[in-house]
């Protein structure tokens, strides 16, 4: 049972905003603390790609619960409000063509020394650093057009009058002279609860693709409470592909053509691939021990995936739509074709079989020239996959190992 917190605070408590500094982050700096307690940059787990399928860089999960949600932003995207999570730390990594973004933060926590303190962080988009915004710190961002944000949230629970489990984001206008003061949740959820909440989000967002609702503090009949406001955005037109390997992702709208894309598998985690497309490669790739699901997130829309069926037939699926994912079964030959740079979400499920040092997690790539490939391996009745939580635990262990290795090398 959750511990209760004395007398509930007044819901309408607010504080005057006070800007205390603007901080320009040098491109080479990945680790940095800021004046608001808990706001910081940390290095991510990045491995350089080997060029297979044009993959130049892979950003893996960082240490923590390991849930990965992605938010895409249309070119004209803007935020008109600040948002405060009372039960979630945001851990944000930004992907794009080196765009400069501005992050505006206000400390709205009731238990800090300087409530209302405000800072601005200016930095370039980079896969090498994660920005941590603790619960209770209001945030809004500028310059996100064409940028993809990956969030690896940390969730908390409590007996808290400010908390709504279905939507804990409290919004207020950017033009307001004051900011609301909130009580934040204290009890970090275990990893199993993170997985459960992620799977619940998958189910909800598979059934409904409505706009993400904002929650505002309002006064009704002299009593302060919260009200949900949901924009009336029309769902963007989704590309239709009749091939069975392409299917709709789990998502909600965060703009008329911007999307929050949550996991598709019960592993609830994924890598972000940066891919440089240079026409039609002369090699195909297959993953012998894992099933992949690839989702285009940003970059060139001149992107396709060519897949070889078990009967030897070749077919091509258009990418360029974050609402659609393409499944690649084990032993299936494929290649990415097109021109320009793209970013992909790569979800993986691992075949359940004896594993040894020669089959390190994710290290199951086979390549062959076009003239050397035959039909792809057909699906087999014996194909079984590791349970999602087991794979998730392996991915978190790998993230910790990579982080330790990177620290030793530094």
């Amino acid at each position: 049972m959750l511990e209760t917190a004395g007398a509930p605070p007044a819901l309408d408590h607010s504080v005057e905003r006070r800007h205390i500094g603007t901080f320009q982050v040098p491109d080479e700096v990945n680790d940095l603390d800021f004046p608001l307690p808990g706001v910081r940059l940390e290095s991510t787990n990045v491995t350089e790609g080997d060029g297979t399928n044009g993959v130049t860089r892979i950003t893996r999960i960082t240490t923590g619960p390991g849930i990965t949600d992605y938010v895409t932003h249309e070119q004209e995207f803007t935020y008109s409000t600040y948002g405060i999570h009372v039960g979630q730390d945001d851990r944000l990594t930004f992907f794009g063509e080196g765009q400069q973004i501005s992050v505006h933060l206000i400390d709205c926590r009731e238990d800090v020394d300087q409530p209302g303190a405000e800072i601005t962080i200016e930095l370039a988009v980079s896969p090498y650093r994660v920005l941590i915004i603790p619960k209770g710190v209001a945030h809004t961002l500028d310059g996100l057009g064409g940028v993809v944000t990956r969030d690896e949230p940390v969730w908390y629970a409590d007996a808290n009058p400010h908390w709504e489990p279905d939507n804990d984001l409290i919004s207020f206008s950017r033009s307001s002279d004051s900011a609301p003061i909130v009580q934040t949740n204290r009890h970090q959820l275990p990893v199993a609860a993170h997985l459960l909440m992620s799977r619940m989000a998958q189910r909800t967002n598979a059934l409904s693709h409505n706009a993400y609702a904002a929650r505002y503090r309002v006064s009704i009949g002299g009593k302060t409470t919260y009200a949900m406001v949901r924009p009336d955005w029309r769902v963007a037109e989704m590309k239709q592909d009749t091939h069975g390997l392409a299917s709709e992702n789990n998502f909600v709208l965060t703009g008329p053509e911007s999307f929050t894309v949550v996991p598709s598998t019960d592993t609830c985690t994924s890598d972000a691939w940066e891919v440089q497309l240079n026409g039609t490669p002369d090699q195909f790739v297959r993953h012998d021990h894992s099933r992949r699901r690839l989702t285009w997130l940003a970059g060139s829309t001149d992107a396709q995936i060519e897949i070889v069926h078990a009967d030897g037939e070749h077919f091509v699926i258009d990418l360029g739509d974050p609402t659609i994912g393409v499944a690649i079964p084990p032993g299936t030959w494929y290649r990415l074709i097109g021109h320009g740079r793209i970013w992909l979400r790569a979800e993986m499920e691992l075949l359940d079989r004896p594993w040894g040092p020669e089959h390190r997690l994710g290290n199951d790539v086979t390549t062959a020239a076009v003239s050397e490939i035959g039909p792809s391996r057909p699906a087999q009745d014996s194909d079984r996959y590791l349970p999602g939580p087991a794979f998730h635990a392996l991915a978190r262990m790998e993230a910790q190992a990579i982080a330790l290795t990177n620290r030793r090398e530094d």
Side-chain angles (χ1 to χ4, degrees):
M1 186 172 180
L2 291 177
E3 185 181 334
T4 58
L11 291 179
D12 58 356
H13 187 200
S14 62
V15 67
E16 185 177 352
R17 295 166 54 175
R18 295 174 294 104
H19 197 276
I20 62 174
T22 297
F23 303 87
Q24 179 69 50
V25 179
D27 290 350
E28 67 276 9
V29 172
N30 298 323
D31 296 271
L32 188 63
D33 291 316
F34 297 96
L36 304 189
V39 176
R40 63 189 185 278
L41 289 171
E42 289 183 359
S43 296
T44 53
N45 290 329
V46 178
T47 55
E48 302 304 318
D50 59 5
T52 301
N53 244 329
V55 178
T56 61
R57 191 172 289 115
I58 301 171
T59 306
R60 305 186 187 279
I61 62 171
T62 57
T63 54
I67 305 299
T68 50
D69 299 333
Y70 294 80
V71 182
T72 70
H73 302 93
E74 60 210 77
Q75 288 298 329
E76 304 303 319
F77 185 89
T78 59
Y79 279 115
S80 61
T81 62
Y82 277 90
I84 314 169
H85 290 295
V86 298
Q88 174 177 315
D89 294 340
D90 278 330
R91 299 174 58 88
L92 308 177
T93 303
F94 303 99
F95 303 93
E97 297 283 3
Q99 295 96 321
Q100 291 287 327
I101 61 176
S102 297
V103 185
H104 309 283
L105 305 173
I106 307 172
D107 204 333
C108 297
R109 294 169 287 191
E110 64 174 4
D111 56 353
V112 295
D113 294 334
Q114 299 186 73
E118 179 177 355
I119 65 172
T120 299
I121 302 171
E122 297 180 347
L123 72 166
V125 167
S126 170
Y128 292 99
R129 52 196 179 202
V130 56
L131 174 63
I132 300 171
I133 304 175
K135 51 190 166 65
V137 175
H139 48 282
T140 194
L141 299 93
D142 292 321
L144 288 179
V147 172
V148 173
T149 303
R150 181 172 77 178
D151 194 4
E152 301 172 82
V154 181
W155 288 317
Y156 301 79
D158 209 336
N160 182 351
H162 298 276
W163 184 45
E164 168 57 50
D166 185 50
N167 182 352
D168 84 329
L169 187 70
I170 301 170
S171 299
F172 64 97
S173 172
R174 292 182 64 160
S175 62
S176 174
D177 294 330
S178 62
I181 295 299
V182 298
Q183 173 185 326
T184 59
N185 292 355
R186 297 166 296 170
H187 308 289
Q188 183 174 332
L189 295 176
V191 172
H194 278 78
L195 287 169
L196 174 61
M197 290 183 68
S198 182
R199 289 195 291 269
M200 290 169 65
Q202 290 183 46
R203 180 169 295 240
T204 299
N205 295 340
L207 295 173
S208 172
H209 300 316
N210 285 329
Y212 192 83
R215 192 163 60 105
Y216 293 90
R217 216 175 260 183
V218 297
S219 180
I220 300 176
K223 181 179 179 182
T224 300
T225 185
Y226 287 104
M228 295 275 199
V229 177
R230 190 182 301 277
D232 186 20
W233 290 322
R234 181 183 63 83
V235 175
E237 231 176 86
M238 290 171 288
K239 295 179 181 177
Q240 299 298 317
D241 198 300
T242 57
H243 195 276
L245 296 184
S247 59
E248 191 173 87
N249 283 324
N250 306 318
F251 69 91
V252 292
L253 290 166
T254 44
E257 293 188 15
S258 300
F259 308 94
T260 294
V261 186
V262 305
S264 298
T265 69
D266 64 357
T267 67
C268 299
T269 189
S270 61
D271 295 331
W273 289 0
E274 183 179 326
V275 182
Q276 183 61 52
L277 300 174
N278 292 303
T280 303
D282 57 5
Q283 284 191 325
F284 276 79
V285 172
R286 75 181 183 205
H287 304 287
D288 296 309
H289 311 293
S290 61
R291 177 167 59 194
R292 306 296 174 101
R293 182 180 175 90
L294 300 181
T295 297
W296 180 95
L297 297 170
S300 171
T301 55
D302 177 25
Q304 297 176 311
I305 182 168
E306 182 179 351
I307 298 177
V308 181
H309 198 268
D311 61 8
E313 180 184 357
H314 291 230
F315 53 90
V316 174
I317 299 174
D318 289 333
L319 299 176
D321 183 353
T323 69
I324 299 296
V326 179
I328 304 171
T332 297
W333 292 109
Y334 75 100
R335 60 181 174 180
L336 298 170
I337 57 180
H339 295 86
R341 191 184 308 274
I342 62 172
W343 284 265
L344 298 174
R345 177 183 69 172
E347 298 175 287
M348 179 169 68
E349 297 170 283
L350 206 59
L351 284 174
D352 188 359
R353 58 179 59 190
W355 288 88
E358 71 278 13
H359 292 313
R360 185 173 57 82
L361 181 61
N363 187 26
D364 66 340
V365 177
T366 299
T367 61
V370 176
S371 60
E372 298 172 342
I373 68 167
S376 294
R377 174 175 84 77
Q380 300 173 2
D381 292 339
S382 59
D383 285 346
R384 296 290 184 273
Y385 294 88
L386 281 182
F391 177 89
H392 186 88
L394 286 174
R396 293 178 65 239
M397 290 170 60
E398 183 187 53
Q400 292 171 353
I402 294 173
L404 288 172
T405 300
N406 289 342
R407 281 200 289 270
R408 282 198 296 268
E409 291 175 351
D410 292 342

